[in-house]
Amino acid sequence: MTLCLFFCLALSVLAQKRSRIFGTLRDESGNPIELATVQVKGQGVLTVSNLKGEYSLYCTSRDTVQVVYSMIGYESRKRLLHNPGDSVRMDVMLPTHEGMLGEAVVKAMNIQTGTTQRIKPVDTNLMPSTTGNGVEEIIATQAGVSTHNELSSQYNVRGGSFDENCVYLNGVEVYRPMLVRSGQQEGLSIINPDMVESIGFSSGGFEARYGDRMSSVLDITYKRPEALEASAAINLLGAGAYVGWGNSKVSLMTSVRYKTTRYLMGTMDTGGEYKPNFLDYQAYVSWRPTRRWTIDVLGNISDNHYNFYPKDRETRFGTMNDAKSFKVYFDGQEKDHFRTLFGSLTATHNFNADTYLALQMSAFTSKEQETYDIQGEYWLNEATGQDQLGVGTYMEHARNYLKAGVVNTGLRFRTRLEHHTLQAGFNWQNESIHENSREWEMRDSMGYSLPHAPNELKLIYSQRSKADLRTNRFELFAQDTWRFKNNLGLFNLTYGARLSHWSWNKEVLFSPRASIGWLPSFCDGLTFRFATGVYYQSPFYKEIKDTTIVAGISTVALNKEIKSQRSIHFVLGGDYTFRMMRRPFKFTAEAYYKHLSNLIPYTINNVRVVYYGQNLSRGYATGIDFKLYGEFVPGTDSWLTFSIMSTKEKYKGQWMPRPTDQRYNLSLYFTDYFPGTERWSFTLKAALADGLPFGPPHTDRLQHRFRAPAYKRVDLGMSYKLIANEDGHLRRFGKFIKTAWIGLDAFNILGIKNVNSYYWVTDITNTQYAVPNYLTGRQINVRLNFKF
């Protein structure tokens, strides 16, 4: 019996003959190509070429074996072998890719030697999304990034505020509306996931070519279609359509998106009639009149309306032994309108495959209005008894209007000289902002107005702001990326500097930056990197508003003595790529320290950041981020991130947590297919983030020493492929459809009540209670997606 088993095993081994495929990869000049991916299609076997361009792998010999050679910046090549023998040598030349990179599926992990990670665009139409802004929701799951509001696409990075994140679209910086105070008012971001080709993201230590922000950079590049493509999507939260077409001369894309969160906001404590309507239209044209010239034009129109007619609210809060009930009856309405226009023109002259000069021009305008008159009568009671703790009335009024315009003109130059890549640029930017705002709040408790005065009626809060601002900025940058190798391995050194001037405060800023990446020769799977630099948060309109509050009355003046906030970054990290269960994985760890000075203190209410308008503090941010990325399930990408962070500032002689002091954060993005079929898709998003510091509104930062509960949320999405026509086998009407998916999402599937902000109530003993404003509850969404 044992002998029979031995012969059976031997025959099985001999039946699956192994073949060794090896060789060298070179470019058109005969130089070796390192870090290129060599993959045997259909067998899950791959490797990466070494510093000499050499590769070697083993595969199972079959009738036909297809080997795929690929590398970013080069054209891919395929080789077909028929019954390969024990050893086959294949030397391959990869031509330089002279056009933009198209979509490619490569099972190897990206090698990150710089501080910008390349994030693979995922099909966000199959992902549970509450905002409709799929790219930002993917960014919020990355290491060091967090969000505390599922209605908002804004995110915090390593202790920074929303305003410290820089976003580029096709090389042009984009802006957001400035009066938005809640996630309910937010519309669709300018980034349309259907049009995205590549996503670059840096959470610190980024290059000199990126602008003056202290926390992060999100760099989005739109694709250039080469054939007709289209998609359409509809769900209970909105709809959208996209069409793209192209040939060797022209590429164009156009899209329209509609979003409404009325259905989702029906799960909130405040009942009433919600009428949010958000519309976004985009068009992108790329024209190549000659082999040397490329003209790119991008236009965007965003029209967002938020109307709200509140009726009543009941919130229960506290502990089991000290439960409270807060009941409010409303009268009034809120009407908000945010309209933004954005356009950009880029003319690029390619001197050769390695050198280009580009002229960039862009314009952004925003017309914003926020108006409301809401009166509420409230009762604060013991939830388990009839004791009445407080009864009163409040009225909130606002007439806030703002117009903003930003015009930018710049030059970009890039060339490659052997092992160096040189980049330089110049920007001139004109800013024009006009604001006319007035808002106040009256509060009456137990028949007495607050704050109480025996001889006059006072408002608990009042602010008047009227300003006109016209300024110019000048920016200049230069950087070099030097790639070299020696016996220790491959090194990637990037160094450069930015120089900027702002006409408002006559400030001149010099920002040197450098980073180095090392791929050691003793281990192909390891990558180390270190980055440092001086980063400035150049003030925009909100930062220079010097708001002084005396007895609840706010006065606003524009501070001409304001200075840019400064952050010195030190980032040390590394990656380890490995294979587990015959699938690729990558583990990343990064530790960082940011020394902060000239800080402008601020408070956060929902998503509105209100600055003090003066450089009053200094501080730091430090932490460590971990990320495990890979194919937990074959053919799908998933990741798990965990971060520990602390950020504090010294204000008025006391060290205290900054408003973004999130001590820990855990995020999970997991995708799967049901066993035995790829028609059923499954996506899970989970977040656990520590609560943020807060305090009573319109008070000094020293009183903001409370901490909100942790943000906990799980969203689940399931999709079924109704039509699978990628090979074009369907006829008649079905031949126009490539795929069709129907999906079901469960938002906040655990039904956890997350706190967004607080409403403060005073009882008869002058005791203040922080009544939580809860976010959305559990809700179901149905969606339908088509690709043509």
Side-chain angles (χ1 to χ4, degrees):
M1 183 68 176
T2 304
L3 188 61
C4 291
L5 287 174
F6 174 80
F7 279 113
C8 288
L9 289 172
L11 289 173
S12 176
V13 171
L14 291 173
Q16 294 194 0
K17 187 175 65 173
R18 302 279 287 172
S19 295
R20 176 177 179 253
I21 302 175
F22 68 101
T24 303
L25 297 179
R26 298 185 181 275
D27 60 18
E28 295 166 304
S29 302
N31 300 315
I33 301 176
E34 62 268 23
L35 306 179
T37 300
V38 184
Q39 177 186 7
V40 178
K41 193 172 182 180
Q43 296 193 26
V45 178
L46 61 83
T47 188
V48 176
S49 60
N50 62 19
L51 300 178
K52 298 179 181 179
E54 300 170 343
Y55 73 93
S56 176
L57 54 77
Y58 288 87
C59 67
T60 301
S61 181
R62 297 176 180 174
D63 291 339
T64 57
V65 174
Q66 188 179 56
V67 186
V68 181
Y69 303 86
S70 59
M71 176 64 181
I72 295 176
Y74 296 87
E75 295 182 10
S76 298
R77 286 291 181 263
K78 298 178 182 179
R79 296 291 184 268
L80 194 64
L81 304 177
H82 297 280
N83 293 315
D86 296 334
S87 183
V88 178
R89 180 182 179 94
M90 295 184 64
D91 296 327
V92 178
M93 187 272 290
L94 299 183
T96 302
H97 200 302
E98 295 187 359
M100 292 296 294
L101 293 177
E103 293 184 71
V105 178
V106 181
K107 292 296 182 180
M109 293 289 134
N110 288 331
I111 304 297
Q112 181 187 339
T113 56
T115 56
T116 300
Q117 59 172 314
R118 292 294 163 185
I119 298 175
K120 180 181 176 182
V122 299
D123 192 348
T124 57
N125 288 320
L126 304 183
M127 176 185 75
S129 173
T130 54
T131 67
N133 301 315
V135 172
E136 287 89 341
E137 292 191 23
I138 292 296
I139 295 299
T141 64
Q142 301 302 309
V145 187
S146 65
T147 181
H148 289 77
N149 190 339
E150 64 271 8
L151 295 174
S152 172
S153 62
Q154 303 194 56
Y155 49 85
N156 303 108
V157 180
R158 292 179 174 174
S161 71
F162 309 134
D163 297 330
E164 296 176 21
N165 303 318
C166 193
V167 180
Y168 285 86
L169 180 57
N170 286 357
V172 178
E173 186 175 358
V174 296
Y175 298 87
R176 290 176 175 268
M178 286 178 262
L179 287 183
V180 173
R181 76 170 67 224
S182 69
Q184 293 93 310
Q185 298 171 330
E186 273 196 32
L188 293 157
S189 82
I190 192 174
I191 304 171
N192 187 337
D194 292 329
M195 302 170 71
V196 171
E197 178 185 63
S198 67
I199 303 172
F201 179 71
S202 175
S203 53
F206 39 90
E207 301 170 9
R209 62 191 174 105
Y210 294 119
D212 294 322
R213 292 291 189 273
M214 292 201 303
S215 289
S216 74
V217 167
L218 175 60
D219 191 357
I220 302 295
T221 302
Y222 275 176
K223 58 188 176 182
R224 293 185 173 103
E226 297 180 354
L228 179 63
E229 57 185 45
S231 64
I234 186 171
N235 58 71
L236 297 179
L237 302 181
Y242 156 78
V243 177
W245 175 84
N247 57 28
S248 59
K249 290 290 187 181
V250 179
S251 297
L252 61 89
M253 296 187 294
T254 184
S255 69
V256 61
R257 293 179 293 165
Y258 170 74
K259 168 186 168 183
T260 177
T261 51
R262 180 187 314 178
Y263 171 70
L264 189 62
M265 286 188 285
T267 63
M268 303 178 72
D269 284 351
T270 301
E273 187 176 1
Y274 292 90
K275 290 185 177 180
N277 294 290
F278 311 119
L279 187 66
D280 176 272
Y281 173 77
Q282 292 190 45
Y284 175 50
V285 179
S286 180
W287 177 40
R288 296 171 289 278
T290 69
R291 196 169 66 91
R292 299 288 187 186
W293 282 95
T294 303
I295 310 296
D296 297 306
V297 180
L298 173 65
N300 171 251
I301 301 174
S302 179
D303 193 54
N304 302 322
H305 294 263
Y306 177 74
N307 298 331
F308 177 42
Y309 305 88
K311 292 183 178 179
D312 55 39
R313 165 185 174 173
E314 183 172 8
T315 302
R316 295 179 179 270
F317 64 101
T319 63
M320 291 185 62
N321 299 324
D322 187 23
K324 303 289 189 298
S325 174
F326 182 64
K327 182 74 175 179
V328 188
Y329 293 96
F330 294 102
D331 185 26
Q333 64 180 350
E334 176 179 356
K335 288 189 175 183
D336 306 326
H337 185 200
F338 306 93
R339 176 178 294 164
T340 60
L341 306 175
F342 173 78
S344 69
L345 169 67
T346 303
T348 305
H349 179 70
N350 297 282
F351 297 95
N352 51 53
D354 298 325
T355 305
Y356 71 79
L357 178 66
L359 171 67
Q360 291 183 333
M361 294 181 289
S362 66
F364 166 85
T365 64
S366 179
K367 185 178 180 181
E368 310 171 28
Q369 68 176 45
E370 180 189 41
T371 63
Y372 55 80
D373 288 285
I374 296 177
Q375 180 179 345
E377 296 183 359
Y378 67 84
W379 285 262
L380 180 65
N381 301 321
E382 293 282 358
T384 56
Q386 300 300 319
D387 295 338
Q388 190 174 86
L389 301 177
V391 59
T393 302
Y394 69 88
M395 184 171 184
E396 297 175 338
H397 165 91
R399 295 293 185 272
N400 299 331
Y401 304 94
L402 185 142
K403 293 181 180 179
V406 179
V407 178
N408 188 293
T409 301
L411 290 172
R412 295 290 183 273
F413 174 77
R414 176 174 176 172
T415 187
R416 189 166 60 182
L417 304 172
E418 293 188 1
H419 302 293
H420 294 265
T421 301
L422 304 176
Q423 298 185 67
F426 169 79
N427 271 354
W428 166 77
Q429 181 169 294
N430 176 264
E431 301 158 0
S432 174
I433 299 174
H434 172 74
E435 183 188 19
N436 188 3
S437 299
R438 183 178 68 253
E439 58 185 50
W440 52 261
E441 179 182 353
M442 184 276 293
R443 190 176 301 178
D444 178 282
S445 179
M446 304 298 291
Y448 293 93
S449 63
L450 298 175
H452 178 65
N455 300 321
E456 58 180 330
L457 179 65
K458 290 188 174 183
L459 299 173
I460 194 169
Y461 166 70
S462 174
Q463 177 174 290
R464 180 78 167 88
S465 176
K466 188 174 184 179
D468 282 287
L469 179 70
R470 296 180 184 274
T471 63
N472 292 287
R473 296 179 195 264
F474 300 92
E475 300 174 333
L476 181 70
F477 80 86
Q479 72 174 50
D480 174 35
T481 299
W482 178 26
R483 201 174 194 185
F484 61 95
K485 55 188 175 182
N486 53 34
N487 293 334
L488 297 177
L490 177 67
F491 293 86
N492 193 87
L493 174 63
T494 300
Y495 55 96
R498 292 185 69 86
L499 186 68
S500 61
H501 169 75
W502 191 28
S503 63
W504 174 256
N505 58 2
K506 313 299 182 184
E507 187 178 38
V508 177
L509 304 176
F510 178 68
S511 174
R513 308 173 187 180
S515 66
I516 186 169
W518 174 38
L519 278 69
S521 56
F522 59 81
C523 181
D524 291 338
L526 279 176
T527 305
F528 300 99
R529 56 186 171 272
F530 173 76
T532 186
V534 180
Y535 297 83
Y536 289 95
Q537 180 78 18
S538 186
F540 204 59
Y541 178 65
K542 291 193 295 183
E543 287 98 318
I544 67 175
K545 293 174 64 175
D546 186 357
T547 304
T548 304
I549 302 177
V550 179
I553 308 300
S554 298
T555 57
V556 178
L558 301 185
N559 184 3
K560 268 188 169 291
E561 304 300 322
I562 198 78
K563 295 181 180 180
S564 296
Q565 302 177 89
R566 185 175 64 188
S567 176
I568 302 177
H569 291 198
F570 300 93
V571 183
L572 177 63
D575 301 329
Y576 176 60
T577 57
F578 60 97
R579 297 187 64 80
M580 183 172 62
M581 300 176 290
R582 302 185 67 183
R583 295 191 290 274
F585 287 86
K586 180 167 72 172
F587 176 75
T588 300
E590 280 194 353
Y592 60 90
Y593 178 83
K594 298 193 286 188
H595 177 75
L596 310 174
S597 58
N598 292 334
L599 292 179
I600 306 172
Y602 61 87
T603 58
I604 301 177
N605 183 16
N606 203 310
V607 298
R608 173 173 284 186
V609 181
V610 179
Y611 292 90
Y612 280 34
Q614 298 182 49
N615 304 98
L616 300 175
S617 62
R618 59 183 176 88
Y620 68 88
T622 185
I624 187 168
D625 301 327
F626 303 96
K627 178 180 179 181
L628 179 61
Y629 173 93
E631 294 187 7
F632 294 88
V633 176
T636 64
D637 294 325
S638 304
W639 56 88
L640 174 69
T641 67
F642 178 67
S643 302
I644 302 173
M645 188 267 295
S646 174
T647 179
K648 290 182 169 58
E649 63 182 326
K650 191 172 186 179
Y651 173 68
K652 292 186 177 180
Q654 298 186 37
W655 283 100
M656 58 186 305
R658 303 195 76 204
T660 53
D661 180 41
Q662 180 185 279
R663 296 171 296 191
Y664 61 86
N665 180 48
L666 179 68
S667 295
L668 172 66
Y669 183 89
F670 181 77
T671 55
D672 192 6
Y673 287 100
F674 279 37
T677 178
E678 291 189 356
R679 283 187 175 266
W680 283 98
S681 174
F682 167 92
T683 303
L684 175 71
K685 290 198 308 178
L688 172 61
D690 187 25
L692 300 177
F694 72 97
H698 319 306
T699 58
D700 192 82
R701 279 275 293 117
L702 292 177
Q703 299 185 42
H704 291 219
R705 296 188 176 273
F706 304 100
R707 191 173 287 270
Y711 180 84
K712 303 178 284 287
R713 185 177 177 91
V714 177
D715 293 335
L716 177 65
M718 295 181 63
S719 303
Y720 176 73
K721 187 184 288 188
L722 293 171
I723 299 176
N725 190 35
E726 292 90 339
D727 57 358
H729 69 279
L730 295 180
R731 295 293 181 264
R732 296 183 180 180
F733 177 74
K735 69 180 181 180
F736 299 106
I737 301 177
K738 185 178 180 180
T739 60
W741 291 83
I742 186 171
L744 182 69
D745 298 327
F747 298 132
N748 194 7
I749 191 171
L750 301 181
I752 299 173
K753 285 192 169 185
N754 289 303
V755 178
N756 179 36
S757 57
Y758 290 87
Y759 183 79
W760 292 77
V761 178
T762 305
D763 67 6
I764 55 177
T765 63
N766 204 32
T767 302
Q768 286 188 313
Y769 295 88
V771 181
N773 298 317
Y774 292 115
L775 287 163
T776 59
R778 184 188 295 114
Q779 193 64 288
I780 299 296
N781 180 41
V782 180
R783 49 186 163 76
L784 189 62
N785 305 304
F786 295 92
K787 285 189 176 181
F788 303 96

